[in-house]
Amino acid sequence: MCGIVGYIGFRNASDVLLKTLKRLEYRGYDSAGVAIINGSLQVEKKKGYIDALSIDFEGTIGIGHTRWATHGAPSNENAHPFVDCKGEIAIVHNGIIENFMELKEELLKSGHIFKSDTDSESIAHLIEEYGEYPFRAAFMKAVRRLRGSFAIAAIKVGERKIMVAKKESPLVIGIGDHENFIASDIPAFLEYTNRVVVLKDGEFAELEEDSVTIYDNNGKEIHRDVTRIDWSVEDAEKGGYEHFMLKEIFEQPRAMEDTLYALESRELFSLDIERVNIVACGTSYHAGLTGKYVLEELLHVPVSVYYASEYRYMAAVEDPALTILITQSGETADTIGAAKRAKELGNITVGITNVVGSSITNYVDYVLYTNAGPEIGVAATKTFTTQLAVLYYFAIRSALSMRKLTRKSAERLLSELHRMPYYIEKVLDEEESIKAEAQKIANANSMYFIARGLNYPVALEGALKMKEISYIHAEGYPAGELKHGPIALIDNGMPVIALVPEDALYEKMLSNIKEVTARDAYVVGLSSNGDVEKWVNSLILVPHTQPLFTPFVNAVALQLLAYHVAKTLGRKIDKPKNLAKTVTVE
Ligand code: M6R
């Protein structure tokens, strides 16, 4: 999704903007641009990658943008920044302006000339339209006319300041010494400062080199504390790994430990839970679906899991329930929309997110953080296993407080949860054998991932990882469902990845494997039981854990499998085509 950056201070703005934009590349984009003031406004913007920009502008104040096309195709004209008619005001925008058609019509009537097909360009013209006011007032007046979602930054010739506004799109401010930064995400400016101010929806900020002033929607000055971020630049960089995804896969033991430590260092709210709804998108949805099995097993309460994009518009959702919204970024538009709806419906809401101060935290009653550190690879890995850690921890602690578990049983489960980093290490030790397996299946056109019960969502997640980074068609199915249709596609050598934990459904899984080997599938089993080797073409051995905890080890093995298939095929692993890390549009 689009990323925005801005800088005001004493350094060369071109250098800072290019570096900070580079750190937002992981969000996905199709064009990039910057605007810098050095007496006059200098703008460079192009379709394609940041490296295509040739910038040698002087100047110490500027804004930059990476665009992920929504309104208008990727092109030089549709790239940001956009400039007003006089060439004095430049803006960058992330989000969608829903009323841009009506604004554009009005602006065209007053003589403005548009050069792009975008919704964003109207913002530059609208600020110009309020030109009789000082820049700050003109900016605020223009922003108040906008409907939709936005993070906006604007600069104007003759004004040594950056004006910003935020509503439902991410925007953070970095506070330096005699310099200040803005970005869509903290890692962008972490090299320069770890002091951060998070803007809330409806707020404005005015950045000068020695001050940052925040205003509410009515233009009244407000105070906001500065947060110190304890991630290092290294945390946000590759640290010797070929890809962020691989680094993040290998960070999982530490991420799990940090997450559990942080959960245990806080007092967990206790709720009397009768029903649970879980709402999320993508990988977070798969974590939620796994959470359903765990919560139902431990709390004995019904749990429904919804895609956020569906939940938002369902004619009727079940009675008020504890509603858990899962989003690693905390900025996914559909999940934020679902959080609002859940509140309107009278639910108690809990958000699970990886990003402190992200938008979701403003819309829920309680927040539980995954402490995974920044995740840069588009494919979610460590945020998935830490989401599982939070859900397991929450389920065990809630079951204990609701007297559904004895203290002894809860302690036994918690101590197994604490052993997960160790088991994940064991899976990571198997990287070479998983890579060998990946190389055998990398030429397939299509794959199935099958499992039963608690591991069915892990099969879905394995298939999602495979398709998003390798571009091989992959589907996850409950193993018992294959013969109701999908088995029709199995033919000679088609890979079927079968998750075979040693649980109550072990034998049923073996029967399902027989069904596909009988049709010449190439079955890769994942199991802690070496006997499975007799039933499959190839076995990936994973460590033995209690059945309830098998999703952790299986998920990590499948991440490595997808990674090595994609690597064998030479794919752009950290930035797969068509995908964005943070999906801030519906
Ligand atoms: O930030 P979120 O957890 O809300 O993101 C939801 C999905 O876009 C995300 O999980 C996506 O499916 C993954 N990047 C896939 O690996």
Side-chain angles (χ1 to χ4, degrees), residues 281-284 327-329 332 378-380 464-465 468 583:
C281 305
T283 292
S284 298
T327 164
Q328 77 79 20
S329 61
T332 299
V378 164
L464 176 63
K465 286 288 90 85
E468 69 179 322
V583 183

Side-chain angles (χ1 to χ4, degrees), residues 111-290:
H112 292 264
I113 296 166
F114 282 72
K115 296 186 177 144
S116 77
D117 307 322
T118 66
D119 52 339
S120 310
E121 188 181 355
S122 51
I123 303 168
H125 294 286
L126 205 51
I127 302 173
E128 182 182 27
E129 190 64 13
Y130 291 109
E132 82 250 34
Y133 294 93
F135 180 40
R136 182 173 81 212
F139 178 81
M140 289 180 173
K141 280 185 181 295
V143 169
R144 288 192 195 106
R145 301 272 321 269
L146 307 177
R147 283 206 310 273
S149 61
F150 48 79
I152 303 168
I155 51 177
K156 184 175 181 188
V157 174
E159 301 276 352
R160 195 140 172 87
K161 63 179 66 167
I162 305 177
M163 289 304 306
V164 299
K166 172 189 162 18
K167 185 179 164 242
E168 294 169 16
S169 284
L171 187 79
V172 281
I173 300 172
I175 311 288
D177 292 328
H178 309 299
E179 60 182 348
N180 290 307
F181 305 79
I182 57 151
S184 301
D185 206 348
I186 296 166
F189 53 60
L190 209 49
E191 173 184 347
Y192 302 100
T193 182
N194 68 346
R195 289 183 293 144
V196 171
V197 167
V198 179
L199 274 195
K200 295 193 174 158
D201 284 349
E203 291 178 348
F204 297 95
E206 180 177 17
L207 280 78
E208 295 173 303
E209 48 229 359
D210 283 314
S211 66
V212 171
T213 317
I214 302 182
Y215 301 92
D216 69 11
N217 194 30
N218 300 316
K220 191 168 152 260
E221 210 174 306
I222 47 177
H223 171 77
R224 178 69 32 79
D225 287 337
V226 175
T227 310
R228 262 178 210 278
I229 297 297
D230 56 10
W231 309 338
S232 64
V233 180
E234 235 168 47
D235 284 336
E237 284 180 344
K238 282 192 216 153
Y241 287 90
E242 193 175 344
H243 295 99
F244 280 113
M245 182 181 177
L246 191 62
K247 173 182 177 245
E248 287 154 7
I249 289 173
F250 273 81
E251 281 173 346
Q252 289 178 104
R254 187 205 42 79
M256 284 274 303
E257 272 163 16
D258 290 353
T259 300
L260 291 173
Y261 176 78
L263 286 168
E264 277 172 351
S265 316
R266 61 172 281 175
E267 208 165 300
L268 195 68
F269 42 85
S270 79
L271 299 166
D272 215 6
I273 303 169
E274 286 175 15
R275 291 180 16 76
V276 180
N277 287 338
I278 302 180
V279 189
C281 305
T283 292
S284 298
Y285 172 86
H286 297 149
L289 207 52
T290 316

Side-chain angles (χ1 to χ4, degrees), residues 480-543:
E481 191 60 23
L482 276 187
K483 52 188 163 298
H484 298 286
I487 205 165
L489 292 190
I490 300 227
D491 62 10
N492 195 14
M494 173 170 160
V496 174
I497 320 300
L499 281 56
V500 201
E502 296 180 85
D503 61 11
L505 299 168
Y506 173 76
E507 280 171 2
K508 295 203 185 301
M509 261 315 288
L510 293 180
S511 308
N512 296 133
I513 287 174
K514 270 202 109 169
E515 290 161 10
V516 293
T517 46
R519 285 154 182 91
D520 291 333
Y522 177 83
V523 180
V524 180
L526 245 76
S527 184
S528 51
N529 188 335
D531 286 351
V532 173
E533 195 153 28
K534 294 183 221 138
W535 301 73
V536 297
N537 299 85
S538 211
L539 177 66
I540 295 173
L541 264 180
V542 292

